[in-house]
Amino acid sequence: MEEQESPFQASVKPGLTIGLVTLVLTYIAYFIDSSLLASAWFGLVALVVFFVLIIFFGKQYRSDLGGFMSFGTAFNFSFITMIISGLVTLVGQILLYHVIDPSLPQVLGELSFEAGLNMMESFGQNPDDLAPEMLDEMKANAESNYTLTGQLKNFGFGLIAYAIIALILAAILKKRDKSLEF
């Protein structure tokens, strides 16, 4: 009898693949126009690609298991795949932000700050009504997301998001063998 891969073993290759695809998208966006990296549209496209690839690889793994997968197995596969993908992306972004273009974090921080102000205006809040100290704090927070510490902190918070997303993906990917029910 052929031994099946554990969710951890099965998630390594998809995790690396998704991480590399995400990095390729990031670097393409950077070379086209670095301001794309701070746009909501780029984030949305990356998120859709991320979900589609995890579901694709999850269905492949489920078929490798004989067409059925428990919720727990689907959760483990999805979560581990996202962690591996996140680590690959993190390393690639650290290289981009701190080795290839060290001025990029400040540029992206400023763009994020401006996007936040524009969002406030679209909700009817006038940024001029805010205290200068509050605006300075908002700008510093926006810029800190692109520092090495900010990236590591965001990855840590991302683990919580990965767990929630993995729960959703597990519900999509699970499939019970109804012939085994009595």
Side-chain angles (χ1 to χ4, degrees):
M1 186 171 158
E2 188 178 314
E3 192 163 323
Q4 296 175 342
E5 287 183 304
S6 71
F8 179 79
Q9 293 167 326
S11 62
V12 171
K13 185 176 177 185
L16 291 173
T17 303
I18 294 168
L20 291 173
V21 167
T22 304
L23 271 183
V24 166
L25 288 175
T26 301
Y27 278 78
I28 288 173
Y30 169 72
F31 289 122
I32 291 173
D33 180 7
S34 61
S35 67
L36 289 173
L37 296 174
S39 75
W41 289 108
F42 176 75
L44 184 64
V45 168
L47 189 64
V48 168
V49 169
F50 189 71
F51 270 110
V52 167
L53 287 175
I54 290 176
I55 290 171
F56 172 77
F57 287 119
K59 286 184 176 184
Q60 266 188 342
Y61 180 52
R62 183 176 70 197
S63 68
D64 290 347
L65 293 175
F68 303 103
M69 184 165 42
S70 70
F71 181 84
T73 301
F75 173 80
N76 287 337
F77 173 82
S78 300
F79 188 60
I80 294 166
T81 299
M82 285 188 278
I83 290 173
I84 293 169
S85 170
L87 287 171
V88 169
T89 304
L90 177 67
V91 169
Q93 287 179 345
I94 288 171
L95 285 172
L96 177 62
Y97 296 164
H98 304 289
V99 176
I100 296 171
D101 189 353
S103 67
L104 188 60
Q106 183 178 2
V107 171
L108 294 178
E110 289 173 10
L111 289 170
S112 295
F113 174 68
E114 290 171 15
L117 293 179
N118 290 336
M119 187 180 295
M120 287 174 62
E121 287 176 350
S122 71
F123 288 123
Q125 173 73 36
N126 186 356
D128 294 333
D129 293 342
L130 297 174
E133 299 83 27
M134 184 175 239
L135 289 172
D136 291 340
E137 184 180 333
M138 287 173 56
K139 186 173 184 177
N141 286 339
E143 290 176 354
S144 74
N145 286 330
Y146 298 101
T147 64
L148 180 60
T149 305
Q151 288 178 295
L152 293 173
K153 184 173 73 172
N154 288 339
F155 180 75
F157 288 125
L159 291 175
I160 297 167
Y162 290 164
I164 293 168
I165 294 169
L167 289 170
I168 295 166
L169 291 170
I172 294 169
L173 294 171
K174 73 174 171 73
K175 187 173 183 184
R176 292 185 310 180
D177 186 357
K178 294 187 181 192
S179 68
L180 297 176
E181 294 178 3
F182 296 104

